[in-house]
Amino acid sequence: MKFVLPELNYKTDALEPYIDQKTMEIHHQKHHGAYVNNLNAALEGKPEFESMTIEELLTGLDKLPESIRGAVRNNGGGHYNHTLFWESLTPGGKSISPEFESKLNEAFGSLEAFKAAFKDAALKRFGSGWAWLVSEGGKLKIVSTPNQDAPISDGLSELLGLDVWEHAYYLNYQNRRADYIEAFWSVVDWSVVEGRL
Ligand code: MN3
């Protein structure tokens, strides 16, 4: 299967002022686009792997030949993570349902405590990577992954991810990763996040 760069469900300027248009254009077209191209290049001419879905590839990294394992982990992970990320965002955000908020309360104490713990994971990810809200067999957890590693490779189900690579925020926020994390909450589509559970 040839992987393709998914279209965004909104215009690249629609998340302003929280995520700026230039960042969205470069991030989607160039960065995500490169992950897709590099993933396809790694799989080209290997029909047994070309026929696999992205989920099959990422949950079976140890079964891939060593010659393509790193490329699939990095570029397949990049494709998978960014696809989830774009889908979790919407102009103006979409509010959280009382049902899901009570699940967050159960797991983390309160919505504020959840956001604080998520922010902490996103800030402490040294270098490049992601912060995640995941489900592990129905139990909500916060994790972070380095580079483009995807939680699905560790048997976790992603509900919400935040890209904290510098390419995700540096044009608008420079070194102020904390401000970018705070701004992110204004454009999260909680209906999508909840639907993943
Ligand atoms: Mn990115």
Side-chain angles (χ1 to χ4, degrees):
M1 158 169 165
K2 262 274 199 234
F3 293 101
V4 294
L5 179 66
E7 294 285 326
L8 297 173
N9 297 324
Y10 38 80
K11 296 215 159 62
T12 50
D13 64 356
L15 304 178
E16 298 248 12
Y18 307 104
I19 304 179
D20 64 286
Q21 179 173 19
K22 194 81 194 155
T23 296
M24 284 300 295
E25 285 172 2
I26 298 172
H27 198 178
H28 177 245
Q29 291 293 326
K30 307 291 181 188
H31 289 274
H32 190 172
Y35 296 127
V36 171
N37 292 338
N38 292 336
L39 175 62
N40 285 329
L43 300 176
E44 195 169 358
K46 301 176 184 67
E48 69 272 42
F49 305 116
E50 270 181 311
S51 63
M52 292 170 80
T53 65
I54 192 66
E55 289 83 3
E56 287 169 340
L57 288 165
L58 292 175
T59 53
L61 288 173
D62 53 347
K63 295 184 210 94
L64 299 177
E66 216 177 316
S67 60
I68 63 166
R69 191 181 302 144
V72 171
R73 179 177 179 173
N74 293 329
N75 296 292
H79 173 45
Y80 181 79
N81 292 341
H82 285 85
T83 301
L84 284 169
F85 184 53
W86 309 133
E87 288 173 352
S88 314
L89 304 177
T90 194
K94 261 201 201 130
S95 59
I96 194 162
S97 73
E99 292 76 23
F100 196 76
E101 188 169 344
S102 71
K103 284 195 201 318
L104 290 175
N105 289 341
E106 245 171 69
F108 305 104
S110 67
L111 181 59
E112 287 63 42
F114 157 70
K115 285 184 175 176
F118 188 94
K119 181 179 186 178
D120 192 56
L123 278 175
K124 285 189 179 147
R125 167 47 55 199
F126 188 75
S128 297
W130 294 73
W132 299 96
L133 172 66
V134 299
S135 161
E136 185 172 33
K139 189 177 168 5
L140 300 187
K141 286 174 60 171
I142 291 167
V143 298
S144 89
T145 55
N147 305 311
Q148 294 298 353
D149 287 1
I152 193 176
S153 298
D154 296 323
L156 303 168
S157 305
E158 301 86 359
L159 305 181
L160 176 66
L162 176 61
D163 188 344
V164 293
W165 284 56
E166 284 187 346
H167 70 224
Y169 62 87
Y170 210 84
L171 287 180
N172 198 27
Y173 294 94
Q174 294 83 48
N175 61 323
R176 292 174 286 117
R177 187 189 283 193
D179 291 352
Y180 160 71
I181 299 165
E182 285 299 331
F184 166 67
W185 299 120
S186 299
V187 289
V188 170
D189 187 337
W190 282 102
S191 67
V192 169
V193 176
E194 297 172 26
R196 290 177 177 147
L197 189 64

